[in-house]
Every structure is written in C-alpha cells, then in structure tokens.
Amino acid sequence: MEIFGVSADSVKALVRFKEKRKLNFALLSDPEHKMIEAYGFWRMKKFMGRSYKGIVRSSVLLGPDGKIEKVWDNVKAKGHAKEILNELQTLK
C-alpha cells in the first residue's frame, strides 16, 4: 500500500511542511492543478460570503488495478486517518 498527498503548493513548501509535521509519506506538488482537477477536487468554495476556486480536501482509495475503490469528499482532517484505516481493515 502506498500513501501520498497532492497539493498545489510548491515543492519547497511541501518539503518544509513534511519536515514540520514529520510525515512519513510523499507529498506531490501540482501547482497547475492538473491532477487535482482531473480528480474533480478543484472547485468553487465559499468563505465569509466570498466565492473562489480552491482544493476541496478529499481522499481517494485506489485498488491494486489503479481503479477508484472509494472517495471521501470534503473531509475534515481530524479523525479522517482513523476512518481510512477502518476502511482498509474491512478490505483485508
């Protein structure tokens, strides 16, 4: 199993973030939003009455064949890792 994150941030910013948070998985930089848009996670958002385009935090579980098994859309970071781990346990 492989875990990775995708962000529109620069490689330099992601290296700092990974070191600061002591993450043990790869973070991929997608400043042109090619992958982010392909998965449908670059969408209109609203904050304080203002609309803008941005990344909707989401997770995708890919099967061994590379096909999408499950999508968690618009997730909150708190507790989400446990939710994914629980899903992986049901697949075993």
Side-chain angles (χ1 to χ4, degrees):
M1 174 184 355
E2 228 176 298
I3 297 172
F4 60 90
V6 180
S7 171
D9 292 337
S10 70
V11 171
K12 187 176 179 179
L14 292 177
V15 167
R16 285 193 308 263
F17 182 80
K18 183 175 178 175
E19 288 172 357
K20 181 179 178 182
R21 300 290 180 169
K22 296 180 173 74
L23 301 177
N24 64 351
F25 55 87
L27 296 176
L28 308 177
S29 176
D30 183 18
E32 284 96 32
H33 316 134
K34 289 180 181 178
M35 180 185 234
I36 296 165
E37 285 186 48
Y39 276 92
F41 301 138
W42 185 255
R43 302 195 290 248
M44 291 304 295
K45 298 171 73 171
K46 277 191 173 187
F47 181 69
M48 296 183 70
R50 186 177 144 256
S51 294
Y52 62 97
K53 277 214 163 184
I55 296 174
V56 176
R57 181 177 286 152
S58 306
S59 296
V60 179
L61 175 63
L62 300 176
D65 58 0
K67 292 185 180 178
I68 296 173
E69 297 283 330
K70 182 167 178 137
V71 175
W72 292 268
D73 197 41
N74 201 23
V75 301
K76 304 294 181 228
K78 188 174 182 174
H80 185 55
K82 184 171 176 63
E83 185 179 2
I84 290 174
L85 288 172
N86 289 340
E87 179 70 22
L88 292 173
Q89 290 299 316
T90 65
L91 297 175
K92 288 184 177 182

